Amino acid sequence: ARANRLRQRILAQYPVALVDEFQDTSPLQARIFDRLYRIADNAPATALLLIGDPKQSIYGFRGADIHSYLGVRQATAGRHYLLATNHRSTTALVAAVNHLFAQAESRDGPGAFLFRTGPDQPLPFEPVAAHGRPETLRSAAGPVPALTLQLDAHLQDGRSSQRQFAAACAEQIVTLLNDRQAGFAQPGMAWRRLRPADIAVLVRTGRQAAAVRQALRRRQVASVYLSDQDSVFASTEAQDLLRWLVAVAAPLDTRRVRAALATRTIGLGLDELARLATDDAAFDARSEQLRQLHQVWLAQGVLPMLRQTLHRLDLPARWLGGPGTHPTLDPDGERRLTNVLHLAELLQAASAQIDGEQALIRWLASQIDAASSPASAGDEQIVRLESDADLVQVVTVHKAKGLEYPLVFLPFASSFRPVVKAGTRFVSSVDSHGQRTLHLSPSSAQLAAADQDRLREDLRLLYVALTRARHALWVGVGALKSGANAVNLSHRSAVGYLLCGAAPVPASALPGLLHAVLGPAPATVLQRALPLADIACTALARRAALPPLRDAAPYAARFDRRWTVGSYSLLVRALPALATSASPAPGLGPASAAAQRDDEGPDPADPADPADPAPAAAPWHTFPQGAVPGNFLHDQLEWLAGEGFALDAAPDLPAQLLQRCVQQGWGHQAPQVLAWLALALRTPLPPVGAALTALGSLRPELEFWLPSSGLASAALDRLCRQHLLAGCPRPALPERTLHGMLMGFADLVFEHGGRYWVLDYKSNHLGPTDAHYSADALQAAMADHRYDVQAAIYLLALHRLLRHRLGAAYDPARQLGGAVYYFLRGLQGPASGCYWVAPPLALLDALDTLLDSPLPATP
């Protein structure tokens, strides 16, 4: 019944749904959409539009399941619509690709994509029409063929074939780039010469990418590699950066400093490293560099520190100054710079959630360890393109899906990874009802079926690769063998099956067979591949003389090295202990600072409790103390604020709160938390005159940013002592000057009765009974922790917000209610757990002036 109510609520909110790329759905996703929209029923009250091309279902490693898509396709029979026109490629290229798949579809057997069984064809190949392109690609020899097949009919093992086709591909690319007449012509437009960035080489693996990039590098062609699986944390730079952070955090540790300086990323020469090992003065100079960087880290953060590292060690100039005169001729250097900048950004983002250098170092180490898992890289961790310069792009087929390139090269189209018993721990199979079964000890028949599924996915990958080009395709086709076995295995590859069928074909018969298959194909050329030893290694010719560089202008700019982002937490960090005692609570001993620390229990010297104390088992007195329980309570109140504090009114909220307790590891305290927070929401707040449940216009976690020209903590301290807490003793703020931005998050901002308030939840433990939470005890806690400073900052932020939003209608004396500090453990105490900080307008005006005070001049 609950599931049906949920379905009805979702359908009421989303009666029409459109899902793109549905060929990559998973069984779970397909079941969810079917449960919601009942696909087979096609109810007129709802509409579910599913857009997808099953021929492009290539993300099985991410959980995509083509069988789930085909099941939905069968359930929607008679309601299919096709996009029948290709707007990407030239007419000749579309016709050539149509021919390859259509002739395979027309053969007897399972069809082009291996799904046909008798008359049933769940995944047919449908030829498409071509819109064509206005421009044409020509070379000195005339129009560039739409499809070129480079055939090597000599049996080779996979590694030898990979080297040969990498060299052949690179040589063909150089030939086109060196052709001064190769380019794009369009009526009414200027002719444009072919550029390296017009060319993409599609690969399946990192090894294939490395092979073709090495072949291009030998010909002085710069390239970039783009994959959708490689995590930047798996790079050498991540390991080296970890050593560098460890050294900067401990600049006097000789062993750690030497380890950091010896990394490949820092790149010091052997002579320099030898000098650092023997010359104490030189090593001390390097240690001083790290010490200065440590100060930058502490004052400004990890990102400024790493950028200072690049600048002070002159790393970009050394990385990009590789062989030759063009920076991109040193691809490792450009890759290093990109990875370091990427890692620096990720570290800076992580530092916002992690406190301290050692915690950030541990985080980076854990990310490096987790990067060993292929599925561990989130989108933000994927290795970035190292340059947007005019470079040949080496791209994985998975990453290329959805993209297009003027010219596409597939040098390794014949490669494949068969499913064999050795190295295969398990396989899965799908029955006619779409049910998947896992086989932990697969039989020969099950291995053969799994290899058939592998070939099906390879065919879909080949389809994706062949449909990325606009003008021309270059495809390598080779005769492959396994070990010493002289049997041609081409039919087990996707391109081999497409061209030759499922039966084995002798290598010597490949040329004649391909001629017969391609004979009717338009704009298709079949070329014989040369042996590796006969492939030339032509260098890329200089395309145009670069203009002479002007003399560098002297750099006279100055930038502010003291700008930073601060907060209340920064202002009170390392707060000294209060030496004086606070006023005693009625009937209690002195409420000193020690009695207000979260980690201390009741004072055994306290006299007996006064009359009518809270029960000993009250959850607010027995709940654990400390930062972790406090953060947990704060999270629940933030969530409840988003629900309007309707814990008693909404019947499902108590169960949700109990479930949240279980999920966050507090299931053993869930009933106590529910009782405690329910009472906290119902308890009237004396300064406001209403409970949280009666408030309106709630804004939880209000974020604010206040510019500060030179906020001195001593001046802020004097203002708070003058205007807040009625002269109560409090520890002095540590000496700091904030130049930059003062930011924070107010727990709750609300409006009630025409007045605006800021409220902060506190879980401080002041004593074991309600009487320990008297007005004097709350004030002492406010003083000890310098919550008066926090209240002043939060009130200023609210004051400025109201002044901006309400304009001339804003009357602070009438509309600014103040700050309420809600001590949750004292909600049944004499003050109902509330300490009210009234908003002294003189304080707010003085703070306004103080934030705009100029920064003292640097001596």
Side-chain angles (χ1 to χ4, degrees):
R2 295 175 63 184
N4 194 49
R5 287 199 304 271
L6 175 62
R7 175 180 179 268
Q8 294 301 328
R9 291 181 64 179
I10 294 175
L11 291 181
Q13 189 169 2
Y14 303 105
V16 178
L18 186 151
V19 185
D20 197 9
E21 302 289 350
F22 195 71
Q23 76 276 353
D24 295 323
T25 189
S26 69
L28 176 60
Q29 292 169 345
R31 288 198 300 271
I32 290 173
F33 283 110
D34 189 42
R35 290 285 296 275
L36 287 174
Y37 293 93
R38 295 173 182 170
I39 297 172
D41 294 350
N42 194 24
T46 61
L48 177 63
L49 307 177
L50 306 175
I51 301 174
D53 182 358
K55 301 186 296 298
Q56 299 190 55
S57 178
I58 61 174
Y59 289 106
F61 67 95
R62 290 183 178 174
D65 182 15
I66 190 172
H67 296 281
S68 298
Y69 176 91
L70 294 178
V72 173
R73 180 185 176 92
Q74 184 178 9
T76 56
R79 291 181 272 145
H80 300 159
Y81 303 89
L82 299 179
L83 298 176
T85 303
N86 180 305
H87 290 261
R88 170 183 297 152
S89 308
T90 64
T91 301
L93 184 55
V94 172
V97 175
N98 275 344
H99 176 79
L100 289 182
F101 285 94
Q103 62 86 25
E105 183 76 7
S106 64
R107 287 195 303 253
D108 293 337
F113 294 98
L114 295 175
F115 274 91
R116 183 166 58 204
T117 55
D120 183 26
Q121 174 57 303
L123 183 50
F125 173 75
E126 302 283 354
V128 297
H131 180 270
R133 300 193 64 87
E135 76 277 9
T136 58
L137 174 62
R138 301 182 64 88
S139 68
V144 175
L147 174 62
T148 300
L149 292 183
Q150 183 108 4
L151 172 64
D152 178 18
H154 297 87
L155 272 176
Q156 295 189 88
D157 61 81
R159 184 168 298 180
S160 300
S161 178
Q162 179 174 284
R163 289 197 300 266
Q164 178 185 5
F165 278 105
C169 171
E171 188 63 23
Q172 182 64 31
I173 289 173
V174 170
T175 300
L176 285 170
L177 292 177
N178 284 346
D179 185 349
R180 294 179 177 274
Q181 299 182 44
F184 301 92
Q186 182 176 348
M189 302 289 289
W191 176 84
R192 181 175 71 80
R193 187 177 174 183
L194 181 69
R195 303 195 315 264
D198 295 323
I199 298 172
V201 182
L202 302 190
V203 298
R204 292 282 301 274
T205 66
R207 288 186 177 181
Q208 292 178 355
V212 75
R213 294 191 73 195
Q214 183 181 25
L216 289 167
R217 194 177 305 133
R218 291 183 60 203
R219 291 159 176 81
Q220 299 183 13
V221 178
S223 64
V224 292
Y225 174 48
L226 193 59
S227 168
D228 67 345
Q229 300 183 49
D230 294 338
S231 169
V232 70
F233 290 113
S235 64
T236 301
E237 290 74 30
Q239 296 277 359
D240 292 349
L241 201 56
L242 177 60
R243 294 185 178 91
W244 185 252
L245 293 183
V246 169
V248 172
L252 301 182
D253 189 318
T254 302
R255 182 177 59 84
R256 294 178 175 179
V257 172
R258 291 190 190 280
L261 294 173
T263 59
R264 183 184 301 179
T265 299
I266 299 301
L268 299 182
L270 292 178
D271 292 342
E272 173 73 4
L273 292 175
R275 190 165 69 90
L276 292 175
T278 57
D279 188 340
D280 290 344
F283 183 79
D284 290 344
R286 289 291 187 184
S287 296
E288 177 61 20
Q289 274 188 325
L290 269 70
R291 191 192 66 79
Q292 294 173 2
L293 290 171
H294 188 219
Q295 295 303 315
V296 174
W297 189 354
L298 292 175
Q300 302 179 38
V302 66
L303 180 59
M305 182 274 289
L306 291 174
R307 288 193 171 271
Q308 284 288 316
T309 298
L310 296 175
H311 171 68
R312 296 187 184 194
L313 299 184
D314 202 24
L315 294 179
R318 291 197 281 114
W319 289 342
L320 301 181
T325 57
H326 197 285
T328 57
L329 292 181
D330 182 7
D332 292 337
E334 198 160 34
R335 179 75 266 158
R336 275 196 290 272
L337 179 58
T338 303
N339 283 350
V340 168
L341 293 176
H342 187 181
L343 289 162
E345 292 179 19
L346 294 174
L347 284 164
Q348 179 66 25
S351 67
Q353 309 295 328
I354 299 172
D355 188 18
E357 303 98 308
Q358 296 303 322
L360 192 61
I361 289 170
R362 288 193 298 272
W363 177 85
L364 177 57
S366 67
Q367 296 298 313
I368 292 173
D369 291 340
S372 58
S373 171
S376 65
D379 290 341
E380 75 283 354
Q381 299 179 14
I382 297 300
V383 172
R384 294 173 178 172
L385 191 68
E386 57 256 49
S387 174
D388 58 359
D390 195 9
L391 310 174
V392 173
Q393 301 178 62
V394 181
V395 193
T396 62
V397 178
H398 289 96
K399 188 67 176 180
K401 182 176 178 295
L403 304 178
E404 58 184 75
Y405 310 92
L407 281 81
V408 169
F409 286 73
L410 297 172
F412 314 113
S414 294
S415 66
F416 65 97
R417 289 182 176 176
V419 178
V420 295
K421 190 170 186 63
T424 301
R425 293 178 294 175
F426 61 88
V427 298
S428 62
S429 62
V430 179
D431 60 22
S432 58
H433 301 290
Q435 296 297 316
R436 185 171 293 276
T437 304
L438 190 67
H439 307 283
L440 299 180
S441 299
S443 64
S444 298
Q446 290 163 349
L447 288 170
D451 192 59
Q452 184 80 340
D453 285 339
R454 184 273 310 166
L455 181 55
R456 286 172 172 168
E457 184 164 359
D458 285 355
L459 283 164
R460 300 194 295 272
L461 279 162
L462 180 64
Y463 176 82
V464 170
L466 293 177
T467 53
R468 297 307 97 199
R470 296 181 197 154
H471 291 273
L473 275 167
W474 187 97
V475 182
V477 180
L480 299 180
K481 65 177 182 176
S482 177
N485 193 342
V487 176
N488 179 25
L489 302 177
S490 297
H491 64 288
R492 299 182 66 183
S493 69
V495 72
Y497 170 80
L498 199 65
L499 294 170
C500 307
V505 176
S508 59
L510 282 177
L513 182 58
L514 263 60
H515 272 296
V517 169
L518 300 176
T524 303
V525 173
L526 181 64
Q527 295 179 345
R528 293 293 188 96
L530 295 174
L532 180 60
D534 296 336
I535 298 176
C537 187
T538 307
L540 180 66
R542 185 181 295 276
R543 314 208 86 196
L546 297 176
L549 295 177
R550 294 180 297 176
D551 293 336
Y555 183 76
R558 301 182 64 185
F559 55 92
D560 194 342
R561 296 175 181 273
R562 293 179 287 176
W563 196 97
T564 188
V565 175
S567 62
Y568 158 73
S569 300
L570 177 67
L571 291 170
V572 300
R573 185 177 296 172
L575 191 71
L578 182 63
T580 58
S581 297
S583 301
L588 300 175
S592 65
Q596 298 171 21
R597 298 291 191 262
D598 281 355
D599 57 350
E600 296 199 16
D603 186 348
D606 284 347
D609 295 337
D612 196 21
W620 45 90
H621 294 314
T622 60
F623 197 75
Q625 308 164 27
V628 173
N631 289 336
F632 164 73
L633 293 170
H634 179 279
D635 289 345
Q636 310 321 306
L637 287 165
E638 179 186 344
W639 168 70
L640 287 168
E643 301 292 335
F645 293 123
L647 188 60
D648 292 336
D652 57 337
L653 282 187
Q656 292 185 41
L657 178 58
L658 294 174
Q659 183 63 28
R660 288 172 62 89
C661 293
V662 173
Q663 292 173 346
Q664 299 184 37
W666 292 91
H668 60 294
Q669 297 275 357
Q672 293 87 339
V673 171
L674 176 60
W676 182 5
L677 295 186
L679 181 60
L681 301 185
R682 294 193 302 265
T683 299
L685 309 176
V688 181
L692 290 175
T693 54
L695 302 180
S697 302
L698 303 172
R699 181 66 185 271
E701 291 298 306
L702 179 69
E703 181 180 6
F704 62 84
W705 292 78
L706 306 176
S708 169
S709 298
L711 174 63
S713 60
L716 176 62
D717 195 357
R718 286 194 299 270
L719 286 174
C720 292
R721 291 175 185 272
Q722 177 183 351
H723 294 280
L724 300 177
L725 303 187
C728 182
R730 65 204 83 174
L733 291 180
E735 189 66 34
R736 291 188 178 92
T737 300
L738 176 59
H739 172 56
M741 298 294 291
L742 179 63
M743 63 85 63
F745 293 87
D747 286 353
L748 182 66
V749 173
F750 63 90
E751 178 272 334
H752 181 72
R755 307 186 77 189
Y756 296 86
W757 305 75
V758 59
L759 183 144
D760 201 84
Y761 312 112
K762 297 299 180 187
S763 61
N764 304 50
H765 181 268
L766 308 186
T769 68
D770 292 333
H772 283 85
Y773 294 83
S774 64
D776 289 341
L778 299 185
Q779 179 171 286
M782 294 285 295
D784 266 13
H785 295 285
R786 295 311 306 264
Y787 293 149
D788 57 324
V789 175
Q790 184 185 39
I793 295 172
Y794 286 8
L795 283 172
L796 177 62
L798 179 58
H799 176 61
R800 286 191 173 186
L801 176 64
L802 295 173
R803 191 169 60 192
H804 174 73
R805 294 284 179 86
L806 302 179
Y810 175 48
D811 180 6
R814 181 174 54 87
Q815 294 175 294
L816 186 59
V820 177
Y821 279 73
Y822 195 5
F823 288 80
L824 299 170
R825 298 179 191 268
L827 55 89
Q828 287 197 332
S832 298
C834 290
Y835 187 88
W836 176 42
V837 180
L841 298 185
L843 170 64
L844 300 181
D845 291 340
L847 284 177
D848 257 331
T849 303
L850 186 60
L851 283 177
D852 295 332
S853 300
L855 186 68
T858 304

